[in-house]
Amino acid sequence: ETLFSALSYLFKFLYRYLIDDVDTVFDMYKAFLSHKKPFVRQFAAESFAFIIRKLPTETREAYIRNFVSSVDKTSSNDYIHGLSEVFFYSMKGIKSKFTSQSKVVFKIILTTIEKIENEDEDDRMARFQLVTHIMKSLRKWSDEDSGGELY
């Protein structure tokens, strides 16, 4: 927990530099996102979601597409859960609400999955699992008033 608190503070104060090289940061974070212990994945997802929220609008879509495309049939269930938590925490607001960019982020995820060509059924199922986990988390977080925004 202390490690992720330190990383969170580093992200908070150095995010301007980190967003210039998000792919490298993401590659390093994959180990945390695919960790066997759920609390490690959760802390990693919460801290990396901050970076996604801070990405400039013009580059956010390309990075999200890259992250979604990283899921395939060789991805572990732990990695799929970890990445789904990243997307959930990047859309999660306060008091059962969502951030202003939630609709955009969720639409990018869905259109990315739809547009991927030449994938086999196992890759498609892995990405379907990703979306399923995201939707379950969003549904648990939202209430009747805010849930309709996204769905």
Side-chain angles (χ1 to χ4, degrees):
E1 186 175 343
T2 307
L3 171 69
F4 284 105
S5 293
L7 283 172
S8 295
Y9 278 109
L10 287 172
F11 279 10
K12 181 178 178 180
F13 295 109
L14 299 175
Y15 77 89
R16 288 181 186 90
Y17 304 105
L18 294 173
I19 61 175
D20 291 337
D21 201 13
V22 174
D23 287 327
T24 304
V25 176
F26 181 70
D27 287 339
M28 287 187 245
Y29 249 66
K30 280 182 181 179
F32 295 130
L33 294 174
S34 59
H35 200 277
K36 294 204 181 300
K37 295 186 179 179
F39 73 90
V40 173
R41 290 193 308 264
Q42 180 184 351
F43 286 137
E46 288 174 359
S47 58
F48 194 76
F50 176 79
I51 297 294
I52 289 180
R53 285 192 304 267
K54 293 296 185 179
L55 286 171
T57 307
E58 56 274 0
T59 60
R60 184 181 303 135
E61 183 172 349
Y63 285 118
I64 291 173
R65 288 185 190 281
N66 187 25
F67 302 153
V68 171
S69 298
S70 72
V71 175
D72 59 20
K73 62 186 169 194
T74 63
S75 300
S76 69
N77 281 336
D78 292 332
Y79 177 67
I80 293 171
H81 279 268
L83 189 58
S84 70
E85 288 185 35
V86 168
F87 289 127
F88 165 67
Y89 285 112
S90 69
M91 292 186 266
K92 177 185 170 191
I94 57 171
K95 295 184 181 178
S96 299
K97 305 286 185 207
F98 301 112
T99 63
S100 60
Q101 292 297 308
S102 296
K103 289 179 188 177
V104 174
V105 170
F106 199 58
K107 185 176 179 180
I108 293 169
I109 293 167
L110 293 176
T111 56
T112 299
I113 291 172
E114 181 183 57
K115 291 181 180 180
I116 294 176
E117 297 177 8
N118 302 326
E119 69 176 349
D120 65 11
E121 191 63 29
D122 293 335
D123 289 345
R124 187 177 307 276
M125 287 307 295
R127 291 187 183 101
F128 179 74
Q129 238 185 330
L130 175 73
V131 172
T132 302
H133 291 303
I134 294 169
M135 291 180 74
K136 284 179 182 178
S137 297
L138 292 172
R139 185 61 207 132
K140 284 180 189 174
W141 172 250
S142 64
D143 57 18
E144 291 178 14
D145 297 330
S146 65
E149 300 175 10
L150 208 58
Y151 298 110

